[in-house]
Amino acid sequence: MSDPKIRTLTVISAGLTQPSSSRLLADRLAAATEDALVAQGVEVDVAVVELRDHAHALVDNMLTGFPSGALRSATERVAVSDGLIAVTPIFNASYSGLYKSFFDVLEPGTLDGVPVLMGATGGTARHSLALDHAVRPMFAYLRAAVVPTAVYAASEDWAGAGDQGLAQRIARGGGELAAAVAVRESVGPVDPFANSVPFEELLTRQTQ
């Protein structure tokens, strides 16, 4: 059984370049969430999944129905996470295809009740509404528990007065996710045999 004081946080970044503003925002959101959890006496296990590293495997998964290699490890990590930070660049007023593909290949029910902090990056503030009209509905369909604050970062938010406002949104979003994660029962590794039927019972059923 996993330590109930340890929470597993997985960070999904759909940035296409290295470095990318999406990864930068994801890292800052993760740091804010971790700081808020540590302040509550909760230990955190944080892992980052860069979707650009799994682009080919995602296409293969959609064609075959099965994840392979590192992509499988990433999806299994998400399945046992106590909280999720998910950041996408905004293209054509919506999330990126790479971002959507990852959530398309997750097993049904993977995100049921999982606290999620949404983040997005774009060239201008005009695209910030994409978080509420595109990303939030997707997570609602997946039955995730999305925290109220969604953090959008436009190009002008990375310096000067813009960065002060971004820092405030990051701190608020990280605090909300930390609060949701702290009170959630730790998921822990999934035991595939936990609810299996004993062999003797199966034999009895077949002979009835």
Side-chain angles (χ1 to χ4, degrees), residues 1-206:
M1 181 179 294
S2 59
D3 187 333
K5 291 185 178 180
I6 298 177
R7 292 293 181 267
T8 301
L9 182 66
T10 301
V11 184
I12 306 296
S13 172
L16 299 181
T17 60
Q18 285 186 327
S20 72
S21 57
S22 293
R23 175 59 189 271
L24 179 58
L25 178 59
D27 287 343
R28 289 181 63 175
L29 290 171
T33 305
E34 184 173 9
D35 287 346
L37 281 167
V38 170
Q40 299 177 55
V42 179
E43 187 176 346
V44 194
D45 172 21
V46 182
V48 179
V49 177
E50 282 272 16
L51 294 187
R52 72 186 303 277
D53 297 334
H54 304 287
H56 295 291
L58 281 168
V59 174
D60 291 339
N61 190 165
M62 286 188 285
L63 294 175
T64 65
F66 299 97
S68 61
L71 176 59
R72 176 177 222 144
S73 298
T75 58
E76 290 176 347
R77 165 82 187 196
V78 170
V80 298
S81 292
D82 297 302
L84 191 69
I85 294 171
V87 181
T88 179
I90 299 300
F91 297 138
N92 297 321
S94 188
Y95 40 63
S96 72
L98 182 63
Y99 185 83
K100 181 63 161 56
S101 295
F102 179 76
F103 292 103
D104 281 346
V105 303
L106 293 179
E107 290 294 324
T110 296
L111 296 184
D112 281 7
V114 178
V116 175
L117 171 56
M118 304 183 305
T121 58
T124 70
R126 292 179 301 170
H127 298 302
S128 62
L129 289 178
L131 277 166
D132 284 317
H133 76 65
V135 185
R136 194 179 294 274
M138 181 191 75
F139 283 118
Y141 178 82
L142 295 173
R143 297 188 294 274
V146 182
V147 301
T149 298
V151 182
Y152 180 84
S155 297
E156 61 266 26
D157 289 326
W158 296 105
D163 187 64
Q164 294 178 6
L166 176 60
Q168 292 174 354
R169 297 195 299 276
I170 289 172
R172 184 168 61 245
E176 291 172 355
L177 181 61
V181 168
V183 299
R184 188 170 188 263
E185 291 187 6
S186 187
V187 177
V190 176
D191 181 359
F193 302 107
N195 298 313
S196 60
V197 179
F199 184 66
E200 294 81 1
E201 184 177 336
L202 289 174
L203 288 176
T204 302
R205 292 179 181 178
Q206 292 177 353

